[in-house]
Amino acid sequence: MTTPTPGSDPNYPQGGAPQGQPGWGAPQQPQGYQPAPSYSGGPAGYGAPASARPPQVLVAAILGFVVALFALLAALGLFALSTLLGILALFGVLYLALAAVNIWGGVVAIMGNGSSVLKGAGIATAVLALIGLILALTQGSFSFLSLLLVAAGVAIFFLLNQPASQQFFASRGKK
């Protein structure tokens, strides 16, 4: 006895699986299945849904944290060298304060509570690093770290002045 070709006998299944056994195809949805409804917005009575944080704000905050790390390392180095020259302790305190302001500004920006602290910290970082770069060049050397810090400070300010960043903070009633 021969087996009929698929499709020629209504009693013979179309696929390769024997009758009564599940095939390897995609599972079939049960009859009457309806997907769950999706809702947009927040619960009623809680105002408009919060806008998503744009990547410009996130990158600016991360740059603020990186700048804070470098400022903290510079402060520790200046404190270590202050035993040789006492005035370096003053610069160590300045860099320590710069690190604290960059961290504070980054946290405030990520939370969506404003960008002015991080903008100010970025500009202060760029100005101090530019002064350090100019001083290094007058001594006949080049400070690549100072150049990176100038670029990071300017980038923080630039990113926070983008329209997407300004809309993000304006939607929260902040600057």
Short mmCIF file of all heavy atoms in Angstrom, two decimals, residues 64-65 67-73 75 92-108 117-118 121 125:
data_model
loop_
_atom_site.label_atom_id
_atom_site.label_comp_id
_atom_site.label_asym_id
_atom_site.label_seq_id
_atom_site.Cartn_x
_atom_site.Cartn_y
_atom_site.Cartn_z
N GLY A 64 29.96 65.56 32.92
CA GLY A 64 30.16 66.22 34.21
C GLY A 64 30.75 65.29 35.25
O GLY A 64 31.64 65.67 36.02
N PHE A 65 30.30 64.03 35.25
CA PHE A 65 30.86 63.06 36.19
C PHE A 65 32.32 62.73 35.85
O PHE A 65 33.15 62.57 36.74
CB PHE A 65 30.03 61.78 36.21
CG PHE A 65 28.62 61.97 36.70
CD1 PHE A 65 27.58 61.24 36.16
CD2 PHE A 65 28.33 62.87 37.71
CE1 PHE A 65 26.28 61.41 36.61
CE2 PHE A 65 27.04 63.05 38.18
CZ PHE A 65 26.01 62.31 37.62
N VAL A 67 34.45 64.72 34.26
CA VAL A 67 35.24 65.91 34.63
C VAL A 67 35.45 65.93 36.14
O VAL A 67 36.54 66.27 36.62
CB VAL A 67 34.53 67.18 34.12
CG1 VAL A 67 35.10 68.42 34.78
CG2 VAL A 67 34.65 67.29 32.61
N ALA A 68 34.41 65.57 36.90
CA ALA A 68 34.54 65.53 38.36
C ALA A 68 35.60 64.53 38.80
O ALA A 68 36.37 64.80 39.73
CB ALA A 68 33.20 65.20 38.99
N LEU A 69 35.67 63.40 38.11
CA LEU A 69 36.69 62.41 38.44
C LEU A 69 38.09 62.97 38.21
O LEU A 69 38.97 62.84 39.07
CB LEU A 69 36.48 61.14 37.61
CG LEU A 69 37.57 60.07 37.75
CD1 LEU A 69 37.52 59.45 39.13
CD2 LEU A 69 37.44 59.04 36.67
N PHE A 70 38.28 63.61 37.06
CA PHE A 70 39.60 64.19 36.78
C PHE A 70 39.93 65.32 37.75
O PHE A 70 41.08 65.46 38.19
CB PHE A 70 39.68 64.70 35.33
CG PHE A 70 39.81 63.60 34.32
CD1 PHE A 70 38.98 63.54 33.23
CD2 PHE A 70 40.79 62.62 34.46
CE1 PHE A 70 39.10 62.52 32.29
CE2 PHE A 70 40.91 61.60 33.54
CZ PHE A 70 40.06 61.55 32.45
N ALA A 71 38.94 66.14 38.10
CA ALA A 71 39.17 67.22 39.06
C ALA A 71 39.50 66.66 40.44
O ALA A 71 40.36 67.19 41.15
CB ALA A 71 37.95 68.13 39.14
N LEU A 72 38.84 65.57 40.81
CA LEU A 72 39.13 64.94 42.10
C LEU A 72 40.55 64.38 42.12
O LEU A 72 41.28 64.54 43.12
CB LEU A 72 38.12 63.84 42.38
CG LEU A 72 38.23 63.12 43.71
CD1 LEU A 72 38.02 64.10 44.86
CD2 LEU A 72 37.22 62.00 43.79
N LEU A 73 40.95 63.73 41.02
CA LEU A 73 42.33 63.22 40.95
C LEU A 73 43.35 64.35 40.99
O LEU A 73 44.40 64.24 41.65
CB LEU A 73 42.50 62.39 39.68
CG LEU A 73 41.75 61.05 39.65
CD1 LEU A 73 41.90 60.39 38.29
CD2 LEU A 73 42.25 60.15 40.75
N ALA A 75 42.89 67.26 42.43
CA ALA A 75 42.88 67.78 43.79
C ALA A 75 43.72 66.91 44.73
O ALA A 75 44.49 67.42 45.54
CB ALA A 75 41.44 67.86 44.31
N GLY A 92 44.20 72.76 45.28
CA GLY A 92 43.57 71.48 45.57
C GLY A 92 42.13 71.67 46.05
O GLY A 92 41.22 70.94 45.65
N VAL A 93 41.92 72.66 46.91
CA VAL A 93 40.57 72.97 47.39
C VAL A 93 39.70 73.45 46.23
O VAL A 93 38.52 73.08 46.12
CB VAL A 93 40.63 74.02 48.53
CG1 VAL A 93 39.25 74.55 48.87
CG2 VAL A 93 41.30 73.43 49.75
N LEU A 94 40.28 74.25 45.33
CA LEU A 94 39.54 74.74 44.17
C LEU A 94 39.09 73.58 43.27
O LEU A 94 37.92 73.53 42.85
CB LEU A 94 40.41 75.73 43.38
CG LEU A 94 39.77 76.34 42.15
CD1 LEU A 94 38.64 77.27 42.54
CD2 LEU A 94 40.82 77.11 41.37
N TYR A 95 39.99 72.65 43.02
CA TYR A 95 39.63 71.49 42.18
C TYR A 95 38.65 70.56 42.90
O TYR A 95 37.80 69.94 42.27
CB TYR A 95 40.88 70.73 41.74
CG TYR A 95 41.51 71.33 40.51
CD1 TYR A 95 42.60 72.17 40.61
CD2 TYR A 95 41.00 71.05 39.25
CE1 TYR A 95 43.17 72.73 39.49
CE2 TYR A 95 41.56 71.59 38.11
CZ TYR A 95 42.65 72.44 38.23
OH TYR A 95 43.20 72.99 37.12
N LEU A 96 38.76 70.46 44.21
CA LEU A 96 37.82 69.66 44.97
C LEU A 96 36.41 70.26 44.89
O LEU A 96 35.42 69.53 44.71
CB LEU A 96 38.28 69.55 46.42
CG LEU A 96 37.59 68.53 47.31
CD1 LEU A 96 37.78 67.12 46.75
CD2 LEU A 96 38.13 68.62 48.72
N ALA A 97 36.33 71.58 44.98
CA ALA A 97 35.03 72.26 44.85
C ALA A 97 34.48 72.09 43.43
O ALA A 97 33.27 71.89 43.24
CB ALA A 97 35.18 73.74 45.20
N LEU A 98 35.35 72.15 42.43
CA LEU A 98 34.93 71.97 41.05
C LEU A 98 34.37 70.56 40.83
O LEU A 98 33.36 70.38 40.15
CB LEU A 98 36.10 72.23 40.10
CG LEU A 98 35.80 72.17 38.61
CD1 LEU A 98 34.81 73.25 38.21
CD2 LEU A 98 37.08 72.31 37.82
N ALA A 99 35.00 69.57 41.44
CA ALA A 99 34.51 68.19 41.34
C ALA A 99 33.13 68.08 41.99
O ALA A 99 32.22 67.45 41.42
CB ALA A 99 35.48 67.23 42.00
N ALA A 100 32.95 68.69 43.15
CA ALA A 100 31.66 68.62 43.85
C ALA A 100 30.55 69.29 43.03
O ALA A 100 29.44 68.76 42.93
CB ALA A 100 31.78 69.27 45.22
N VAL A 101 30.85 70.43 42.43
CA VAL A 101 29.84 71.15 41.65
C VAL A 101 29.49 70.36 40.38
O VAL A 101 28.32 70.31 39.98
CB VAL A 101 30.32 72.58 41.31
CG1 VAL A 101 29.39 73.26 40.33
CG2 VAL A 101 30.43 73.40 42.58
N ASN A 102 30.46 69.71 39.75
CA ASN A 102 30.17 68.90 38.57
C ASN A 102 29.29 67.70 38.92
O ASN A 102 28.37 67.36 38.17
CB ASN A 102 31.47 68.42 37.91
CG ASN A 102 31.99 69.41 36.89
OD1 ASN A 102 31.37 69.63 35.86
ND2 ASN A 102 33.13 70.00 37.18
N ILE A 103 29.55 67.06 40.05
CA ILE A 103 28.72 65.93 40.47
C ILE A 103 27.31 66.41 40.80
O ILE A 103 26.32 65.81 40.36
CB ILE A 103 29.36 65.20 41.67
CG1 ILE A 103 30.62 64.48 41.23
CG2 ILE A 103 28.37 64.22 42.29
CD1 ILE A 103 31.43 63.91 42.36
N TRP A 104 27.22 67.49 41.54
CA TRP A 104 25.91 68.05 41.91
C TRP A 104 25.13 68.44 40.65
O TRP A 104 23.94 68.11 40.52
CB TRP A 104 26.12 69.23 42.84
CG TRP A 104 24.85 69.94 43.26
CD1 TRP A 104 23.65 69.37 43.55
CD2 TRP A 104 24.69 71.34 43.43
NE1 TRP A 104 22.75 70.35 43.90
CE2 TRP A 104 23.37 71.57 43.83
CE3 TRP A 104 25.54 72.41 43.30
CZ2 TRP A 104 22.86 72.84 44.09
CZ3 TRP A 104 25.05 73.69 43.56
CH2 TRP A 104 23.73 73.89 43.95
N GLY A 105 25.78 69.13 39.73
CA GLY A 105 25.11 69.54 38.49
C GLY A 105 24.67 68.36 37.65
O GLY A 105 23.59 68.38 37.05
N GLY A 106 25.48 67.30 37.60
CA GLY A 106 25.11 66.11 36.84
C GLY A 106 23.89 65.42 37.43
O GLY A 106 22.99 65.00 36.69
N VAL A 107 23.84 65.32 38.74
CA VAL A 107 22.69 64.68 39.39
C VAL A 107 21.43 65.52 39.19
O VAL A 107 20.35 65.00 38.87
CB VAL A 107 22.98 64.46 40.90
CG1 VAL A 107 21.72 64.05 41.64
CG2 VAL A 107 24.07 63.43 41.08
N VAL A 108 21.55 66.83 39.33
CA VAL A 108 20.40 67.71 39.15
C VAL A 108 19.88 67.63 37.71
O VAL A 108 18.68 67.59 37.47
CB VAL A 108 20.78 69.17 39.53
CG1 VAL A 108 19.73 70.16 39.08
CG2 VAL A 108 21.00 69.28 41.03
N VAL A 117 23.26 74.62 37.00
CA VAL A 117 24.41 74.23 37.82
C VAL A 117 25.46 73.53 36.97
O VAL A 117 26.66 73.85 37.03
CB VAL A 117 23.97 73.33 39.00
CG1 VAL A 117 25.18 72.83 39.78
CG2 VAL A 117 23.02 74.06 39.91
N LEU A 118 25.02 72.60 36.12
CA LEU A 118 25.95 71.87 35.27
C LEU A 118 26.53 72.77 34.18
O LEU A 118 27.70 72.64 33.82
CB LEU A 118 25.28 70.64 34.65
CG LEU A 118 26.19 69.66 33.94
CD1 LEU A 118 27.31 69.17 34.85
CD2 LEU A 118 25.40 68.48 33.41
N ALA A 121 29.20 74.74 35.93
CA ALA A 121 30.35 73.88 36.21
C ALA A 121 31.14 73.59 34.94
O ALA A 121 32.37 73.55 34.96
CB ALA A 121 29.88 72.58 36.86
N THR A 125 34.94 74.72 34.42
CA THR A 125 35.94 73.72 34.07
C THR A 125 36.72 74.14 32.83
O THR A 125 37.95 74.04 32.80
CB THR A 125 35.26 72.36 33.81
OG1 THR A 125 34.60 71.94 35.00
CG2 THR A 125 36.25 71.31 33.38
#
